[in-house]
Amino acid sequence: MSEEQGRTTETDQEMGSDIQRAATILRQASEHARQQLTYRYPVLFTTWGLMYLLGYGVLWLSVLGQHPYVGPTSMALLSLTLIVAAAMAITVVLIGRAVSGIGGASARQRRVCALASLVGFAGLFTLEAALAHAGASFAVLGVYGAAAPLLLTGVFCALGAAIAQNWTALALGVWLVAVAAGSGFGGPVTVWAVDALASSAGFLAVAVVRLRQRRDR
Amino acid sequence: MTDDELDPVIHVPARLRIMVTLATLPEGDDLSFTRLQDVIGLTPGNLITHLRKLEDAQYLTTVKAGRGVTARTSVSITRRGRSALEHYTAVVRDLLGSVSPERLPD
């Protein structure tokens, strides 16, 4: 090999390793940024799935065998409150870590979504109080108490998915609405069990899908 | 494509990391200087130097808001910057495909 051919080969090797390094940085930096700056959806969906499974499961166990139906016990409602509080704390921490330092359009969107959720659930529980005030039976209040929060969650999920154009989340939203709407026909005791199992299955399925999507990238 | 098409502004490891990180955010979003430094892992002085180079090339913009304790510097990638990064990525991909195996170091 001539001296010039030797130098050309060496330059090509340097270029090759330079390009390889650039490709590696592109891949690693992209993955690192995604891990740092986006929600950990598999963990979030798993958290919410467990929240519904455990929270509604406790309520179902407390009303199992009630004839006539009088509603969940105070201990069960306290347990639900603690479970929901724990799930919300995990959600706030995970989202907070991801979006820390991020400003602009998505930050404004998050604030609007948070406000809409608060207003929505406040309205939902106020309506429940109005139904009780109007003389609704324990059975009706039981069906409403189980199905309404899940239905609202499904609607928010579907709307958020439509904005983000995420079809997996849209499917989950539609599933939650269908479960909430249909489970009521089972009566005030069965509704807690159906909602617990069906909604948690939906959330956990989406968690698995999002985990696979993350790995396949 | 040849390696002459590699944008020399982006083709520096630190600046490439900065561009890729900012491109992760959706259009319309920005990232605080502090968070960017945390994600990239550069010293403040080093980061400022690289940000200036990218800003001179109009690949990103920095905005300072507030005063004193509440002052916040945010950084966002421009459309020109996104386009430049996309082109850079395409060039790297093309060159990776064209460099024959026996020329790559072990």
Side-chain angles (χ1 to χ4, degrees), chain A residues 79-102:
Chain A
S79 301
L80 173 70
T81 304
L82 292 173
I83 290 167
V84 170
M88 289 302 107
I90 291 170
T91 300
V92 166
V93 166
L94 285 177
I95 290 179
R97 272 188 199 162
V99 305
S100 167
I102 298 178

Side-chain angles (χ1 to χ4, degrees), chain A residues 12-13 15-23 25-26 29-30 32-34 36-38 97-107, chain B residues 3 6 11 13 16-17 20-21 24-32 35 38-39 72 85 88-89 92 95-96 99 102-105:
Chain A
D12 285 343
Q13 282 182 341
M15 186 190 91
S17 75
D18 194 35
I19 302 304
Q20 281 286 4
R21 189 179 62 169
I25 290 173
L26 277 168
S30 179
H32 181 67
R34 253 196 297 271
Q36 294 285 310
L37 302 175
T38 57
R97 272 188 199 162
V99 305
S100 167
I102 298 178
S106 67
Chain B
D3 63 332
L6 283 171
H11 193 55
L16 180 54
R17 285 194 184 94
V20 169
T21 300
T24 305
L25 302 174
E27 212 166 311
D29 276 7
D30 54 61
L31 191 62
S32 70
R35 186 76 200 278
D38 185 49
V39 172
R72 180 183 186 271
L85 181 62
Y88 177 88
T89 306
V92 167
L95 286 173
L96 261 182
V99 174
E102 64 267 22
R103 291 182 178 179
L104 289 174

Side-chain angles (χ1 to χ4, degrees), chain A residues 160-177:
Chain A
I163 293 170
Q165 295 185 15
N166 184 297
W167 309 121
T168 311
L170 179 61
L172 174 64
V174 169
W175 171 249
L176 294 178
V177 169

